[in-house]
Amino acid sequence: MSGYEALDAKKLVRSPSGLRMVTEHRCARSPFGLDEPPWVPDKECPRCMQCDTKFDFITRKHHCRRCGKCFCDKCCRKKVPLPRMCFVDPVRQCAECALISQKETEFYDKQLKVLMNGATFFVTLGTSDKSELMVCRLSNNQRYLVLDGSSHYEIEIVQISSVQILTEGFTPGGGNTRAVGMILQYKVPGSEELTQMKFTASEDFSCNKKLSASWLAAMHKVREGRKS
């Protein structure tokens, strides 16, 4: 069992927002996760924060599980999955947050699955002139980039400082480009110096090139998604 898998144990917890399946060790949580927001206190919210309807015995208050703001039932009636907060079931969200969560879930479901399936690259470490054929994938807990070949590397996602996607196929007339490689820089725990790796798509089979290009595109999209 590798180091990261040993921390993968999960537990079911109940919060004011609902049931969540979370990792037992906070340090093992996914870097794509979100913290539960604090709820706006009831006493500070006499009216719906969307439509300004006054709360009374009939018009009840509801909190959006994503933003923590207070709304009436009409403005916060949608129950939408929120996997980034580890909720077991769909949870109540305001209209704005529900739309964000829906788009986000579709995005991460697609891109993270591509990364976890993995792809094959020639990997060059630092300034070495030798490369090694390795299978690269995102770990099941989404915390590490795992590289397997004759050597083995586990790069923590949060330690990656930059990702540069290498492309080819550009023409002056604006032709399509294809991702063919990546330069990745990251920090090794305990060191402030950056380590560089270069990934080059295997040219052995056309199917490998297509798979590698899809993997690189997903890496770029997920990286940009985490910044936003």
Side-chain angles (χ1 to χ4, degrees):
M1 179 181 292
S2 63
Y4 65 83
E5 290 174 332
L7 296 174
D8 277 352
K10 295 185 177 182
K11 60 182 178 181
L12 190 65
V13 299
R14 181 181 293 277
S15 72
S17 298
L19 285 173
R20 301 170 67 223
M21 184 65 74
V22 300
T23 56
E24 290 189 358
H25 304 275
R26 184 172 177 81
C27 64
R29 63 177 294 181
S30 167
F32 304 101
L34 293 173
D35 290 322
E36 283 188 83
W39 282 11
V40 174
D42 287 351
K43 62 182 180 181
E44 296 179 10
C45 190
R47 296 177 176 273
C48 173
M49 300 179 75
Q50 177 64 42
C51 69
D52 205 38
T53 297
K54 185 177 181 180
F55 295 122
D56 53 31
F57 288 109
I58 298 176
T59 306
R60 297 178 56 199
K61 300 175 181 178
H62 299 280
H63 286 85
C64 172
R65 272 48 174 176
R66 186 181 180 107
C67 68
K69 294 179 180 179
C70 197
F71 303 92
C72 67
D73 179 70
K74 182 180 179 181
C75 294
C76 193
R77 63 174 52 176
K78 289 188 176 183
K79 289 192 175 182
V80 178
L82 189 46
R84 291 189 72 192
M85 285 187 193
C86 302
F87 284 111
V88 174
D89 301 308
V91 290
R92 188 184 290 268
Q93 298 178 58
C94 66
E96 182 178 353
C97 285
L99 182 59
I100 293 173
S101 293
Q102 287 172 335
K103 291 182 177 180
E104 209 171 55
T105 298
E106 292 170 2
F107 173 78
Y108 281 108
D109 271 357
K110 180 179 179 181
Q111 306 306 333
L112 293 183
K113 283 178 182 176
V114 170
L115 292 180
M116 286 190 282
N117 285 337
T120 303
F121 297 92
F122 285 105
V123 179
T124 306
L125 181 63
T127 58
S128 173
D129 57 357
K130 296 182 179 180
S131 60
E132 181 179 340
L133 190 63
M134 308 187 82
V135 175
C136 307
R137 64 179 179 83
L138 184 68
S139 64
N140 291 336
N141 62 13
Q142 303 169 0
R143 293 187 60 233
Y144 291 85
L145 188 61
V146 181
L147 288 74
D148 278 310
S150 298
S151 307
H152 176 82
Y153 298 95
E154 295 176 9
I155 303 171
E156 196 168 6
I157 296 297
V158 295
Q159 296 296 333
I160 296 175
S161 59
S162 68
V163 173
Q164 178 188 353
I165 303 299
L166 306 176
T167 61
E168 69 175 15
F170 176 79
T171 63
N176 293 329
T177 60
R178 177 171 59 92
V180 295
M182 171 177 72
I183 295 177
L184 180 148
Q185 290 187 321
Y186 65 97
K187 287 184 179 179
V188 176
S191 173
E192 290 300 314
E193 294 185 3
L194 290 176
T195 298
Q196 179 173 295
M197 277 187 172
K198 181 178 180 180
F199 297 67
T200 305
S202 171
E203 299 288 339
D204 293 346
F205 303 100
S206 59
C207 59
N208 282 351
K209 292 170 66 176
K210 184 176 181 180
L211 180 63
S212 298
S214 297
W215 194 92
L216 290 168
M219 185 70 177
H220 175 70
K221 290 174 183 177
V222 167
R223 178 74 178 170
E224 292 302 306
R226 282 195 68 218
K227 293 178 183 178
S228 59

